[in-house]
Amino acid sequence: MAENGSTVAEDTQTAPQQNTPSEEMIAEATNGTTTGNGESNVKQDENQPEAATSDQKNGGKAEEEQIENLSAMIRQLSAGTDAVKIKSKSKRLSRVYRLTPDLQYVAWFPSRKSEIRRRISIESIREVRKGRGTQFLQSAATDIPETLCMTIIHGTKYAQLNLAMKTQQDRDAWATALTSLVKISHSEEMKSEARDRWLKQMFEQADVNHDGTLSMKEIQKLLKRLNINFSNREIKKRFKEADTDKSGGLDLKEFSALFKELATRPEIVSLFTKYASSRDFMTVEDLRNFMIGEQHAAPSVQMCEGFIETYEPIEEVKSRKQMSVDGFSLFLLGSEGNVFLNSCSHITQDMDQPLSHYFINSSHNTYLMEDQLRGPSSIEAYIRAMRKGCRCVELDCWDGDNGEPVIYHGHTLTSKILFKDVIEAIKEHAFATSEYPMILSIENHCSVKQQDVMAKYMTDILGDLLYKDTRDESRSMLPSPNDFKRKILVKGKKLPSEQEDDGDVSEDDEAADLPKEGEQTDGAEKKKTGSIKRSEKKKIKLSKTLSQCINYVQSVHFKSFEKSFESGKCWQMSSFGESKANSYSKDKCMHFVQYNKRQLSRTYPAGTRVDSSNYNPMPMWCAGCQIVALNFQTDCDEMDVNRGMFLQNGGCGYVLKPYVLRDGYGIFDAKAKEEIPGVIPKHYTIRIISGQSLPKPGNVEGEIIDPYVKLEVHGIPADNYICRTRTIQDNGFNPVWNQTFDFRCLFPNLAVLRFKVMDEDKLSADDFIGQFSLPVSCLAPGYRHVHLLLPSGEKLEQATLFIHVTVEQEDNVIYKKFCGIDNGLDKIRHLRKYPTLAPLNILVIDAPMLGRSGDIRLACDLKEDYDFTLLQFKIACGYNAVAGIQECLITMLLYSKVQCEIEISKKGGVLIIKPNCQDVSTVMRNVITAFNELNDAIAGTLKRTDECVANLTQAMETCKSEFKVVEDSMKNLDDKKSLQVALDFTRNMRTFDMYVRGLTQQKEDASRVLKKMEEMLQVEEATM
């Protein structure tokens, strides 16, 4: 019996014979688990001393000690430790827990379950929590010291393994070792071994009688489960060929060989053969040529050697710095072959802009696990949302028993959780995935007494994490995410600063947005039917202490855009229900955009969505709304788009809005169809080549699937696009489509692309297989794999699409037609369309702007001449637009040795090439022409950019200083004349700005190109 009288059950089953991991395996597992400065990547207790890092020697010693400690822990845990599995307050099971010899699973015994069901894969572990860190343990383990408790959260459904260890040392060893092993399991090296681990798992599941081999019948069932459609005759033939020892069954090695033979992909082999200098292997240079020629990347030789070291599975081939077709396949399945651009997985955006200039990943009614009427409320919902990157959570606060405020969906049957417990969870998990500010959106329905309790909990529990500084009311714009790094902001109503006591404010209540009896909803306006009048918002008393927790995110009632433009403060924000937000984003989008440049806005689902369904966030983003709150507990198309949007910028939960949504001197119209001033459209070509290991819906038994792929672009109305492939019958294992789709994106920086795989069903609705969504701007060019996800956003094991992506700016599409033809540059110049500046009939604006029309034409000439000649030179040398200038120069010099020697000279700062032979080939002539035209463009850029940029900048500054005469038009967009003035001013200013920024960057680029040319060609001012 336990101390409280609960039963601790024991099983009489004997323990299985244990093997321990080899020293080599332990060394491999612990290698790289510390950072270069000696700091451990394993989360330590707050009271543990940090490793000494004052100098390199002590840092190295600390690192060695940490690795040795981790190795010792793994040895200990592989031998097994006693623990109690907590099933309920009264039911607890004594078990021995251990790491399996391959360090891939946590297993336990005794148990009546099969071996597969009494273990958890390390890769599936989502989180390891020490203490009573779950609601379950807080109620079921009150008699057990918190220092002994821990929870392993795993799987796509967030299953919990709640344990009590015998000692705190055991508990800490498990937490530290598992955290490290989970991190290692997600490394690129382990990802490259994922298929072998998956095959082993499939093998074990198919081995019904657990004899270590698969019979013909078991193979037939497994192949069907894997969506491999072979006749029984073909399966028998393959089985016989794979059964090399003629035992009548396939062991794991034989099964793996059979699967890999079946999984050989002709499209990968063909691509490999195209670049491999020998039949069977790629060299480092071959791999680099592939990256330049196909992937639009130019990695160094050292980087390519690293790719081989990471992905090549055959040691002998790896030692020769070569790559086999298997290694090439794994390479394309790794991060370097991912459709999601590698750079987007890091924080690369400017985080010093005002907070209103960012989209913020946000949750609605975060506490709910299910529907809005009867569903359970849970601390786990907050933890999951925060760990998924959410940076704004909602707390619906009401008076609770015993003076303890609670959180639940008021006036419903949803369960209640303590406000205090939620704040403690927020403290623990707010910065688990991002260091940027967490916003607590408080919906306050509490009495003053319990509001004081709320304020005390936030102040005491959050401590220094809570942003408590008095706001600077002289500010015209909000502070930045960097200013609020690792700080928690509270959003709510605030009393006037001069008020000394509690005071009245309007109650926060989303339910107030629901239509009342006698009303109907028409967009954002509520129209009366009959004589029933809408009541005013209810007033509540606001605690002075709670009010003091509010600073830069103050909730105010929204009156009108005009009132906000006239007297709104940057720290004042309003919330908009779905209906009102949709109406404003549709009918007053330009007003909404202007409002959102200075002030935050929050949108939330309609109260009628009692099933916790979601609305489309894209129209709100198009209007510049920052906090577009969704029901995170509901997996749906809208949540897929939201996840896709916030994948970028390292998944930190903050995405910098496109420039035209935050520019202080212009407006934005989401209804644009042909052109957005200041934005360069792009053309996208996506070829859906094939699919791999597409499972049955829900992995249930049934017929082999009939898959098709659907492409969706979500953006401004002009960019919305949907298409689909044909259906492939009876093949989920390796379907081949080879279908190409083209689309133009007018505003690529505000678009999300979604790949969706479906199983066609002629008798009912098509079934969902998997999807992946990402920002269009993060789409990687070349041959790429799309790693499909479950509806929950979790990885769909081994399921991928293989595609080819081409991304081109509109100008490049035109330029390519004239590259390599006689007088191509002259023909491009003849077709050139110069930007036109619109007169506003306002002298102080028109004079400086229209007076610089000549500079605009010059800027256009400099920009387009350089862009065209650079592209022309790269194409002449056999490369694409992203190739480095070094590769092109090497090719040019190679041509000169093989075809015709060249004479290189420099006159007046311009490099010039002349052929040194009479018979010049067409290829060589094109290279020489392209080189000379490029150098003319470089010289023009370096000579004339500074004066041109200075003139344009001066004109812009003059117009900004006179902005007051245009600002009223920006605020009166309902008037046609004012709107036209605002549109013309926007177009002119963004044209100036585009050329100023473009030419400044171009000059830097041209300087680098010229320097590289001079270094490689070793040319000085004198003739060579």
Side-chain angles (χ1 to χ4, degrees), residues 231 644 789 815:
S231 66
L789 304 177
Y815 291 164

XYZ file of all heavy atoms in Angstrom, residues 231 644 789 815:
30
model
N 0.428 -7.857 -57.364
C -0.341 -9.101 -57.413
C 0.325 -10.129 -56.504
O 1.515 -10.020 -56.177
C -0.387 -9.634 -58.851
O 0.925 -10.007 -59.262
N 1.429 27.856 -41.407
C 2.294 28.157 -42.541
C 2.843 29.571 -42.467
O 4.032 29.802 -42.685
N 2.347 16.778 -43.252
C 1.986 16.838 -41.844
C 0.580 16.295 -41.622
O -0.270 16.335 -42.512
C 2.046 18.287 -41.346
C 3.368 19.036 -41.528
C 3.220 20.478 -41.040
C 4.505 18.338 -40.809
N 13.674 39.260 -69.537
C 15.097 39.332 -69.846
C 15.610 38.061 -70.514
O 16.424 38.113 -71.440
C 15.911 39.575 -68.572
C 15.733 40.941 -67.944
C 16.139 41.177 -66.637
C 15.164 42.000 -68.650
C 15.995 42.423 -66.046
C 14.997 43.243 -68.067
C 15.420 43.447 -66.761
O 15.269 44.668 -66.186
